[in-house]
Amino acid sequence: MVAEEFEAAFHRPLSEVDPEVARLINGDLRRQQEQLVLIPSENYASPAVLAAFGSVLQNKYAEGYPGRRYYNGCEFMDAIESLAIERAKQLFGAEHANVQPHSGSQANVATFLALLEPGDRIVAMRLDHGGHLSHGLATNIAGRLYDVAFYGVDRETGRIDLDEVADLVRRHRPKLIIVGGSAYPRTIDFAPWREIADSVGAYLLADIAHIAGMVAAGIHPSPVPYADVVTMTTHKTLRGPRGAIILCRQELAERIDRAVFPGLQGGPFMNAIAARAVCFREAMQPEFKAYQRQIVANAKALAQALMERGLKLVSGGTDNHLMLVDLTDRKISGRLAADRLEEAGIIVNRNTIPYDPRSPFVTSGLRPGTPAVTTRGMRESEMVQIADWIVQAIQKKTGEEGRRRIREEVRRLCEKFPIYPELDYLR
Ligand SMILES: *Cc1c(COP(=O)(O)O)cnc(C)c1O
């Protein structure tokens, strides 16, 4: 083969190079457009974020940090990463930011690597009460390397009982306390956590993966003044690219940076870092604050409408972007409910509820959230409609026929709130 031929092949569009993959991507684009996405950890990143994420920056190796790289040709990499760092610090009022972690779990492991030795003690929230697997699940690296004791929520109130946490901390004397989770529908006030940590000289890690957007917008209390380290994903309520950042006080900066690289990762994904910089800029705009307020207003409206229609919510409602539906008094599992909802074009994940009698694979709960539908522009009146559909779709008597009918109505609603109308991977 001569050079011209492989050069020509190189420049063909995706739809020609790999029609199979192009079709599959376009299939999911249509699914994202035609279904109601109620998974609280998912969102639609803006076209600007997608453009940076899909850019040529993915070609560049840039191990190290701005001004201290192990590769040449990093002039623009340094400028981009510095911009992302400065914006993250400004957005959250933090002393130091590391914008390189590939994911939220990696950000947490890097924090452990920076602050702990194997065998050290951690106190964290139980996974089945709303924590996260990276906080010490037995099969996760955190559970393998550290000695983890768990707090949960109160059986009656569904809320974290700070006296129980303080007591556990007194008995366990951990080196690190983790606050924050994946399925906690209530506001977290971080100040008392600092006091509890200080009572035994422990570090405090706030993992705000789920609530980062609300914290950035100033409508949820910030952990930055209280926690030694704050980790967050950038792809959930913050609505940026997949991945994570770590914020910390200046005195921990070097340890955190060394733990991320070379401790845990090699070359940073510079395309993701550029997309993170774009996301932080978007998050500084007044529209973003309005968006976050609407997420919460929509969640409250959805929670209220679900309860009025007879569904039980853990803790009796929500303060943030998500709620936990408790199905234990119904004859249906979380798994079956979520599958029936998918038939109706509504995507919501099943979730354990605190003290769940069913296994984590089956569960007795659903975890609906409003970040994605709010990005589409839906408001309180649509939430009431969605609650109607949810209650109908999970009932056995609605049947396949009924769920097909709901799916069609869902598609019509989604058409009124278009998302990514300019995209087409088959072109
Ligand atoms: C989503 C989440 C993470 C980690 O996310 P990745 O899937 O590893 O990016 C970490 N902590 C909490 C609390 C989360 O909700």
Side-chain angles (χ1 to χ4, degrees), residues 41 102-108 130-135 178-183 207-211 231-236 242-244 367:
S41 48
H102 300 328
S103 78
S105 300
Q106 302 259 52
N108 287 337
H132 188 261
L133 58 92
S134 63
H135 296 181
I178 310 177
V179 54
S182 300
D207 179 346
I208 59 166
H210 263 264
I211 57 173
T231 57
M232 74 190 80
T233 48
T234 48
H235 52 270
K236 295 178 183 173
R242 296 204 86 77
R367 185 185 63 151

